[in-house]
Amino acid sequence: VQRRTGQTPRELARAISLAWGRSPALTVWAGLPIELNDAYYETRFGDRTLTPERIERLDRLVSDAIPVARRADWRRKSKNP
């Protein structure tokens, strides 16, 4: 998924979530982009602070998802050179 000109962070997060939801390897993390985007909006525009527990949870989810996403992207690229 590539960001389109004029696409908001929320729209990009939704596009990524939809793409990940269609991937058997990534479907378990399909909600993560939207959850990260919501956390960003809450802190940036909502004048809120994330709890240490939420930060730890998001960090753990991202750390777990990145290697799987990279493998899924590599497989996709190797099938479509």
Side-chain angles (χ1 to χ4, degrees):
V1 176
Q2 290 188 347
R3 186 171 184 255
R4 296 185 325 266
T5 302
Q7 189 176 36
T8 67
R10 181 161 287 164
E11 290 167 337
L12 177 60
R14 180 164 164 63
I16 294 169
S17 289
L18 290 172
W20 284 11
R22 291 189 296 268
S23 169
L26 296 171
T27 192
V28 69
W29 288 289
L32 181 58
I34 291 173
E35 189 172 349
L36 289 170
N37 184 77
D38 288 349
Y40 167 72
Y41 274 42
E42 287 172 29
T43 58
R44 176 69 174 94
F45 305 110
D47 197 28
R48 294 186 185 147
T49 302
L50 300 179
T51 65
E53 295 82 13
R54 188 165 177 205
I55 292 169
E56 184 179 321
R57 179 179 172 280
L58 290 171
D59 184 56
R60 187 177 59 253
L61 289 170
V62 169
S63 295
D64 291 347
I66 286 174
V68 177
R70 285 186 178 148
R71 282 193 302 272
D73 187 53
W74 177 83
R75 283 190 204 110
R76 183 186 56 81
K77 286 180 181 177
S78 68
K79 290 180 182 177
N80 300 311

